[in-house]
């Protein structure tokens, strides 16, 4: 079977605008989108090659930028997706930024500031491993974090968060209007699969480094996180910057699905190497003759 034919329809992972997301109804596991481990490898290799090709054209054309945002609960596989899907991409055309707990100057500015400073230039793919969405996720789950930003949600907390969603929609609309195309991925992991992955991080010495005490603490807030994600996904999936809810219990399927969505977007941009004019061709021919001696 041709490896570039996906075994799924991308649309089923996309959150429609103004849709009320109930995460319990979105699968964390689906029938594998590959036939075997070898088939997975072949499909991913094919996608990685296509992505590398598309990225060269993005870079050469210098008209569009892509911003890929990854959000998830801990151990959902963000790092693996980024590593595998982007493995064929020229590092000069791609920049990954990981957003951790903010400090210093970051807290002294409004919440979008630190992300806006590292937006991708034209011709580039920017990847956010976590993002300004943390400011309506972890911060909504732990609103006391706002104190460090000099803020207080006040009596009408819902209105406070609604304003943040509005800011996000506005900035993403602005980016889209200026050819910065934003795709957002929520890697949807089940609580049971997270438990298994945490246990592996404890039991397997080569995975010990990945284990963090803080992850267990946040796991205790699982339901609050799911609620915050639901509200956020419902409020911020737009035509200009859609969310995709990608099942994350099977890492191979997750990677193939993300790679297809990214390529589908790049295909829609009709990327091509810049046209060379007849005059320029003649000029190149003249220069070529100088190189024959
Ligand atoms: P990994 O664990 O795979 O290395 P990670 O993305 O979980 O990757 P960590 O350093 O473990 O990285 O965690 C980063 C933490 O920073 C997360 O708990 C995240 O919620 C938190 N964080 C990110 N942005 C903000 C923010 N704006 N406000 C508060 N906390 C934030
Ligand atoms: Mg972590």
């Amino acid at each position: 079977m041709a490896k570039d034919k996906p075994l799924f329809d991308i649309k089923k992972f996309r959150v429609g605008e103004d849709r009320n997301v109930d995460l319990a109804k979105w699968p964390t596991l689906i029938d594998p989108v590959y036939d075997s481990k070898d088939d997975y490898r072949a499909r991913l290799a094919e996608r990685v090659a296509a992505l590398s090709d598309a990225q060269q054209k993005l870079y050469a054309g210098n008209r569009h930028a892509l911003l890929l945002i990854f959000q998830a609960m801990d151990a959902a596989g963000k790092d693996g997706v980024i590593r595998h899907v982007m493995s064929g991409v020229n590092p000069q055309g791609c920049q990954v930024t990981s957003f951790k707990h903010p400090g210093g100057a970051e807290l002294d500015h409004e919440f979008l500031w630190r992300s806006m400073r590292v937006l991708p230039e034209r011709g580039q793919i920017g990847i956010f491993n976590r993002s300004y969405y943390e400011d309506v996720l972890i911060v909504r789950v732990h609103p006391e974090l706002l104190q460090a930003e000099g803020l207080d949600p006040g009596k009408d907390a819902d209105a406070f968060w609604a304003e943040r969603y509005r800011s996000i929609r506005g900035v993403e609309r602005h980016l889209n209007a200026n050819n910065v195309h934003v795709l957002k991925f929520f890697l949807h992991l089940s609580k049971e699969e997270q438990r298994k992955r945490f246990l592996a991080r404890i039991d397997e010495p080569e995975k010990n480094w990945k284990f963090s005490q803080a992850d267990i603490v946040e796991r205790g807030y699982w339901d609050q996180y799911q609620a915050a994600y639901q509200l956020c996904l419902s409020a911020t999936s737009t035509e200009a910057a859609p969310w995709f809810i990608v099942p994350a219990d099977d890492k191979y399927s997750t990677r193939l699905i993300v790679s297809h969505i990214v390529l589908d977007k790049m295909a829609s941009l009709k990327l091509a190497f810049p046209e060379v004019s007849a005059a320029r061709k003649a000029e190149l021919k003249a220069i070529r003759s100088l190189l024959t001696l």
Side-chain angles (χ1 to χ4, degrees), residues 74-75 78-79 98-102 107 111 114 129-132 134-135 138-139 145 149 201 209-210 212 214-215 218 225:
D74 286 301
K78 285 183 280 109
D79 291 5
S98 297
F99 292 93
K100 311 281 184 186
H101 289 288
L107 288 173
F111 77 99
R114 67 171 177 163
N129 183 348
R130 303 187 187 274
S131 64
Y132 44 83
E134 292 292 327
D135 291 276
I138 184 172
V139 182
L145 289 170
E149 297 175 38
R201 289 178 180 191
W209 65 273
K210 287 193 198 172
S212 144
D215 293 353
E218 291 315 298
Y225 270 104

Side-chain angles (χ1 to χ4, degrees), residues 4-293:
D4 57 349
K5 287 272 175 292
L7 296 177
F8 55 89
D9 180 4
I10 287 170
K11 285 202 280 303
K12 78 175 194 209
F13 304 111
R14 185 179 167 133
V15 180
E17 196 156 342
D18 296 325
R19 178 148 175 201
N20 258 338
V21 174
D22 176 359
L23 278 176
K25 296 204 175 115
W26 287 75
T28 58
L29 189 66
I30 53 169
D31 285 342
V33 298
Y34 52 89
D35 298 327
S36 62
K37 195 164 176 179
D38 281 347
D39 184 53
Y40 154 73
R41 287 209 187 96
R43 284 177 186 277
L44 188 68
E46 193 278 334
R47 299 285 81 188
V48 163
L51 203 62
S52 166
D53 185 59
Q55 187 256 342
Q56 277 192 49
K57 291 180 180 142
L58 183 82
Y59 189 81
N62 201 29
R63 290 188 54 220
H64 299 274
L66 212 61
L67 176 60
L68 311 178
I69 295 182
F70 292 92
Q71 286 291 156
M73 297 298 286
D74 286 301
K78 285 183 280 109
D79 291 5
V81 168
I82 295 168
R83 195 169 61 247
H84 285 87
V85 173
M86 304 312 290
S87 58
V89 164
N90 180 349
Q92 293 199 77
C94 178
Q95 191 192 3
V96 184
T97 310
S98 297
F99 292 93
K100 311 281 184 186
H101 289 288
E106 294 177 333
L107 288 173
D108 289 338
H109 290 82
E110 46 70 39
F111 77 99
L112 291 169
W113 178 78
R114 67 171 177 163
S115 305
M116 298 301 110
R117 302 173 74 210
V118 289
L119 285 172
E121 299 169 18
R122 273 187 289 127
Q124 297 270 329
I125 301 178
I127 297 178
F128 285 1
N129 183 348
R130 303 187 187 274
S131 64
Y132 44 83
Y133 278 100
E134 292 292 327
D135 291 276
V136 292
L137 295 166
I138 184 172
V139 182
R140 187 156 190 175
V141 172
H142 301 286
E144 63 279 8
L145 289 170
L146 283 171
Q147 282 165 22
E149 297 175 38
L151 291 169
D152 172 359
K155 285 205 185 68
D156 194 350
D158 285 351
F160 176 88
W161 299 112
E163 189 56 43
R164 283 205 162 181
Y165 298 143
R166 212 166 13 249
S167 299
I168 290 173
R169 285 197 303 268
V171 86
E172 289 176 348
R173 194 183 140 149
H174 162 79
L175 292 174
N176 183 261
N178 289 279
N179 277 357
V180 181
H181 307 279
V182 187
L183 296 177
K184 305 175 297 199
F185 300 95
F186 171 56
L187 308 188
H188 188 23
L189 185 73
S190 68
K191 196 173 182 189
E192 174 55 18
E193 182 61 24
Q194 190 196 53
R195 190 179 74 88
K196 287 187 191 148
R197 292 186 190 174
F198 280 173
L199 286 175
R201 289 178 180 191
I202 292 168
D203 295 342
E204 297 172 33
E206 70 279 12
K207 289 189 179 165
N208 282 172
W209 65 273
K210 287 193 198 172
F211 182 73
S212 144
Q213 205 73 34
D215 293 353
I216 294 292
V217 176
E218 291 315 298
R219 180 177 162 82
Y221 293 91
W222 183 274
D223 292 344
Q224 289 90 326
Y225 270 104
Q226 298 292 303
Y229 266 108
Q230 272 176 189
L231 292 167
C232 162
L233 294 164
S234 305
T236 60
S237 198
T238 60
E239 271 303 302
W243 272 108
F244 294 87
I245 301 180
V246 183
D249 283 2
D250 168 14
K251 291 178 177 179
Y252 293 168
S253 287
T254 314
R255 293 170 193 165
L256 288 175
I257 293 167
V258 170
S259 64
H260 271 288
I261 294 170
V262 175
L263 269 171
D264 182 68
K265 179 73 210 175
M266 292 182 96
S268 77
L269 299 178
K270 308 263 181 285
L271 301 170
F273 289 111
E275 290 273 337
V276 182
S277 67
R280 180 65 181 153
K281 275 189 189 146
E283 208 174 65
L284 287 172
K285 211 168 161 191
I287 297 169
R288 191 176 201 289
S289 66
L290 297 175
L291 292 168
T292 52
L293 294 179

